[in-house]
Amino acid sequence: MREATRGDRHEHGAVSPGTRPGTPSLLRAINDRAALQVMLERGPLTRPELGALTGLSKPTASQLLSRLRDAGLVVLDGIREGLPGRTAELYRINPAAAYVAALDVTPARIAASVADITGTVLSEYRHPTPGRSAGDVVAKVRAAVHGACLQAGVDPVGLHRVVIGIQGAVDPGTARLGYAAHIPGWHIPELVGTLRDGLGVPVDVENDVNLVALTEQVHGVARGHADFVLLWADEGIGAALVLGGRLHRGATGGAGEVGYMPTAGVPTAKETGKRGDHGFQALAGGPAVLKVLRSHGVRGGDPAQAVRAAVRDAALGGERGERAGLALREVAARLAVGLAPITAVVDPEIVVLTGGMLLAGGEVLAALVEQELHALTLPRPPVRVSTVEGNPVLTGALGLALTTTRDEIFASTVSA
């Protein structure tokens, strides 16, 4: 990036309140943000290296580094030896400039992690929440956050933001959590505001599968794709949509809650009641898949184990392998029936399969789903298995928290 000048049109970012296009404060902010981004991506840099990568002159680079050090955003990171008698100071992002926390909530536990502003994960913590009792949701979240902060050596009061991933969605119109009857205690008025007040930290609550899609967009097979569908299936089933490079949440936050989608071959909510066994969940959710596999003689304690056993048996051949292959084909056909209307409407570049059950099926199941899907729809997107490792909900939550935090922290040099 070349050095910003008064004549620039400022495509680099929005003008901060109180500044006018071309003012010195705005130009400094553009240069500061560019330098901070380069240091995030490239690590410790000398002043000449920073100038070369950003296009800033030596005097401007020196002033910038001094300004960022005064703001606590950049720190000295030692000396790099050069030619005889010559050394250069190294500068890096100050990890202590801000800290964020991420939570992944299920009925049985809350997984939490803490990262500094560079994205370095400092801790991972698990807070069990057994039983079906509602309890105090603020107390549960606080315990998980404080446990992760204690391991990280970070004061919880010093957190800049907390992002919570959960199996549901907050309706922006009512501020209540929906699609999450199976998680007791979270259905309270003004959920986000209540958590924010209880923790004393800004809080965002996001659907867990949406966070998985954000992780896939940055780190997985969906990288470089502006339009994709992610299908998550294990005990439950859900989806996420990324359109034009942006996550699509829907008017009430429920976009992607495909488990409730009316589907041919199974009862509807009209017939069973909204909490009955109906829709895509009844056709292709974990319990339904487990039943299909067992009917073909495949055994497993849960859907993922059974699918893994079916893939293994199918590879062995013989009568047992043939039965396992037929079972996998039926599972793929059921998944394709739900994916077909989504594909027909969205026309995605790629479909990503993830979640315990689909990951257990691997490339074998993905290939079968692709064949069945292409037989049903005119769009023929490739179907791929996620390659993301670790907990993608926590990774996505940390990424969302860091994006918001960096925007706020890095913009602070304008007022400074």
Side-chain angles (χ1 to χ4, degrees):
M1 170 190 166
R2 62 187 174 84
E3 185 173 349
T5 64
R6 287 182 180 272
D8 282 347
R9 293 175 59 195
H10 311 302
E11 288 90 347
H12 306 288
V15 177
S16 174
T19 63
R20 299 189 308 276
T23 62
S25 60
L26 177 60
L27 303 183
R28 284 195 300 269
I30 293 172
N31 291 335
D32 290 353
R33 182 59 189 259
L36 290 165
Q37 190 63 41
V38 167
M39 281 188 276
L40 273 176
E41 296 170 355
R42 303 292 290 269
L45 297 171
T46 65
R47 188 196 65 184
E49 288 171 339
L50 183 62
L53 290 169
T54 59
L56 299 174
S57 65
K58 290 182 179 179
T60 300
S62 295
Q63 294 170 6
L64 178 148
L65 286 170
S66 177
R67 184 165 61 249
L68 294 181
R69 289 184 69 182
D70 290 342
L73 298 178
V74 169
V75 292
L76 189 63
D77 193 47
I79 301 295
R80 178 178 295 165
E81 299 292 340
L83 297 174
R86 299 184 64 181
T87 60
E89 294 179 328
L90 282 168
Y91 298 90
R92 64 182 174 92
I93 298 288
N94 179 11
Y99 298 98
V100 299
L103 274 62
D104 172 21
V105 177
T106 70
R109 57 95 178 119
I110 301 177
S113 62
V114 171
D116 62 37
I117 198 170
T118 70
T120 300
V121 177
L122 304 176
S123 70
E124 292 188 356
Y125 179 78
R126 185 184 181 94
H127 178 69
T129 55
R132 298 291 298 173
S133 61
D136 184 346
V137 65
V138 174
K140 292 178 181 179
V141 170
R142 187 186 297 115
V145 170
H146 285 203
C149 285
L150 181 63
Q151 286 189 0
V154 173
D155 186 345
V157 177
L159 289 175
H160 196 83
R161 182 168 295 270
V162 174
V163 173
I164 302 171
I166 193 168
Q167 300 167 2
V170 175
D171 185 335
T174 65
R176 285 182 173 271
L177 185 70
Y179 307 96
H182 60 296
I183 304 182
W186 287 77
H187 308 88
I188 59 177
E190 295 293 339
L191 174 63
V192 174
T194 300
L195 291 171
R196 179 194 62 227
D197 294 343
L199 295 177
V201 177
V203 173
D204 295 315
V205 177
E206 181 61 84
N207 174 262
D208 58 345
V209 180
N210 283 348
L211 293 172
V212 174
L214 294 179
T215 301
E216 201 66 46
Q217 186 179 31
V218 176
H219 304 288
V221 294
R223 187 173 183 178
H225 295 284
D227 298 275
F228 69 90
V229 171
L230 180 137
L231 182 70
W232 170 287
D234 201 18
E235 289 290 339
I237 195 164
L241 306 178
V242 173
L243 307 175
R246 298 174 63 88
L247 186 65
H248 179 71
R249 294 179 175 86
T252 65
E257 294 287 352
V258 297
Y260 302 91
M261 181 173 65
T263 307
V266 291
T268 65
K270 184 177 180 180
E271 297 163 318
T272 67
K274 291 184 178 180
R275 296 194 178 185
D277 189 23
H278 68 275
F280 193 27
Q281 173 69 25
L283 183 72
V289 168
L290 194 58
K291 184 176 180 180
V292 168
L293 294 177
R294 286 176 174 172
S295 72
H296 287 272
V298 179
R299 293 291 177 259
D302 58 42
Q305 289 179 5
V307 169
R308 191 175 295 109
V311 172
R312 183 190 62 237
D313 291 350
L316 297 176
E319 182 180 351
R320 182 176 178 181
E322 184 177 349
R323 292 180 66 185
L326 289 173
L328 287 173
R329 174 70 70 177
E330 182 175 343
V331 171
R334 288 173 173 237
L335 291 166
V337 165
L339 279 170
I342 303 171
T343 300
V345 172
V346 175
D347 189 17
E349 297 174 60
I350 187 173
V351 174
V352 181
L353 304 183
T354 189
M357 186 174 78
L358 300 183
L359 292 174
E363 298 294 342
V364 173
L365 182 58
L368 292 173
V369 172
E370 183 177 276
Q371 292 173 16
E372 295 291 335
L373 178 62
H374 290 181
L376 297 175
T377 60
L378 290 179
R380 298 168 64 86
V383 178
R384 298 289 182 264
V385 181
S386 171
T387 57
V388 171
E389 297 181 354
N391 184 328
V393 177
L394 283 181
T395 301
L398 282 177
L400 191 59
L402 286 167
T403 296
T404 304
T405 296
R406 287 167 181 167
D407 285 343
E408 295 171 351
I409 294 295
F410 291 174
S412 65
T413 60
V414 176
S415 58

